[in-house]
Amino acid sequence: MQYWFNLIIKSQGSRLYWGIFWAFFSALSAVALLALSGWFITATALTGIGITAGLFIRFDMYLPGSGIRFFALSRTLGRYVERIYNHDTILRLISTFRLRLFKGLSSLPLSELRSTSDSEWLGKLTADLDSLDSILIRYTIPPIVATLLIFTLTLFLSFIWLELALYLGGFMLLCIAVVIRLSITQTKALAGSSSRLLSELRADIIEHLQGAFVLQSHGLMERHEAKLLERLNAFHDVEKSLNSSLANIQLLLDVTLGLVLLVLVIVGLYTAQSSRISGPTAVMLAMLFISVSEILQSIPSQFSTWGKTCFSADRLRPLVKEANTDT
């Protein structure tokens, strides 16, 4: 898969950086909106309680309210631009992949082209080619954006509580690395087997349909259908195991993030009671962690297709060997 990643950097390098920027801008706006909203709601509630108790409190509601509106608009704008921009990048990338692939096919001898069945060519030029999109939209942009977001929030929290910022930042970075590693190791073999079985099943179904008249005339239709059903059941078993592994990883991540959130809430309430930080700030810290946790929770599902992408990349790599040596 290294060849395809290098091709992405070579062909879409500047667009990749802008795509990461817009994705980071959208994610940062969403996190800031949730955190500021939590702070503002809590501060407003405490102010109302204080006024009801007869206290004189001065509270500026316009500045945080303006910030909430700004982050709401910037999140919407950033997400819209990011979707359009990265979608256009994907289309350009598919065009680059196809150009490189067909350039390699044109240099292959005719005997080698005919030695591969039509059903296999169909799988390679459709499903395998489309699965290469995951290199950019699953394995490149999301982890980079999550890492940049954690560094940014760690820097922001260091001005409020340095020790907590370092602990949370280190934990979330470690969480990203462990989850990515665990997702790949636990699902790669199953995902690769799933893609292989699906490719073989697709080829068998095409051959079954093409030879249906001959099979029917020789009374072999039911026997051939039984073989297809056996392969289909094997594919479903692999998919079931893959989904089970993904669910276990997701459960482990959710439980870990939930426990850390519980500890963070307890620590925040304790420090707010001791007047080290204010109550709204404690709520803001919890909301920041919740918003980042939502991004971390999507990592297992994104990297669970690593084996499928590797299978497709390995199948397509020999087809561009000639074109690669020419360049």
Side-chain angles (χ1 to χ4, degrees), residues 29-277:
S29 298
V31 171
L33 175 62
L34 185 61
L36 185 57
S37 298
W39 181 92
F40 183 67
I41 293 173
T42 306
T44 304
L46 293 178
T47 301
I49 294 174
I51 294 175
T52 304
L55 300 177
F56 179 78
I57 299 177
R58 182 180 179 181
F59 179 66
D60 183 9
M61 60 182 300
Y62 296 103
L63 182 60
S66 300
I68 291 174
R69 292 183 181 91
F70 170 77
F71 288 125
L73 292 175
S74 64
R75 181 192 62 173
T76 304
L77 177 62
R79 186 170 297 175
Y80 179 76
V81 174
E82 183 265 335
R83 292 292 189 272
I84 293 179
Y85 193 87
N86 284 334
H87 183 70
D88 183 65
T89 303
I90 289 296
L91 294 178
R92 293 171 183 264
L93 191 60
I94 292 176
S95 177
T96 302
F97 286 161
R98 288 176 177 174
L99 180 62
R100 186 60 62 93
L101 182 61
F102 284 107
K103 183 179 179 181
L105 288 176
S106 64
S107 62
L108 293 178
L110 185 60
S111 59
E112 186 173 348
L113 292 174
R114 290 181 175 178
S115 62
T116 303
S117 63
D118 295 339
S119 58
E120 187 174 352
W121 281 124
L122 178 63
K124 289 182 177 180
L125 299 179
T126 55
D128 290 338
L129 187 60
D130 291 339
S131 65
L132 296 181
D133 299 348
S134 299
I135 299 177
L136 179 63
I137 62 178
R138 287 177 177 266
Y139 316 138
T140 303
I141 294 180
I144 292 178
V145 170
T147 303
L148 292 176
L149 185 63
I150 290 174
F151 276 115
T152 303
L153 295 180
T154 302
L155 180 62
F156 170 73
L157 291 179
S158 63
F159 294 99
I160 301 175
W161 192 349
L162 179 60
E163 294 84 358
L164 181 64
L166 295 178
Y167 282 128
L168 279 181
F171 166 76
M172 287 186 287
L173 290 176
L174 179 63
C175 189
I176 290 178
V178 171
V179 169
I180 290 177
R181 180 65 178 175
L182 188 63
S183 299
I184 292 176
T185 55
Q186 295 297 318
T187 63
K188 182 178 180 180
L190 292 172
S193 299
S194 176
S195 295
R196 178 179 55 80
L197 289 174
L198 182 60
S199 178
E200 295 174 355
L201 182 61
R202 185 188 296 111
D204 290 343
I205 291 176
I206 293 176
E207 293 176 357
H208 176 78
L209 295 176
Q210 290 177 343
F213 179 77
V214 177
L215 292 174
Q216 186 68 34
S217 62
H218 288 80
L220 300 176
M221 179 66 75
E222 294 182 357
R223 182 182 301 178
H224 199 269
E225 288 178 350
K227 294 181 179 179
L228 291 179
L229 292 177
E230 291 179 359
R231 181 156 292 180
L232 182 61
N233 291 331
F235 171 73
H236 288 161
D237 292 339
V238 172
E239 281 289 310
K240 183 179 179 180
S241 300
L242 177 62
N243 293 330
S244 178
S245 299
L246 177 60
N248 292 332
I249 298 172
Q250 193 72 55
L251 177 61
L252 178 62
L253 178 62
D254 292 343
V255 171
T256 303
L257 294 176
L259 292 176
V260 174
L261 177 61
L262 179 61
V263 173
L264 181 62
V265 170
I266 294 174
V267 172
L269 292 176
Y270 176 78
T271 52
Q273 185 179 6
S274 60
S275 300
R276 182 173 180 177
I277 60 175

Side-chain angles (χ1 to χ4, degrees), residues 1 131-135 138-139 195 305-314:
M1 196 155 53
S131 65
L132 296 181
D133 299 348
S134 299
I135 299 177
R138 287 177 177 266
Y139 316 138
S195 295
T305 60
W306 182 274
K308 296 181 179 180
T309 307
C310 289
F311 174 81
S312 300
D314 293 339

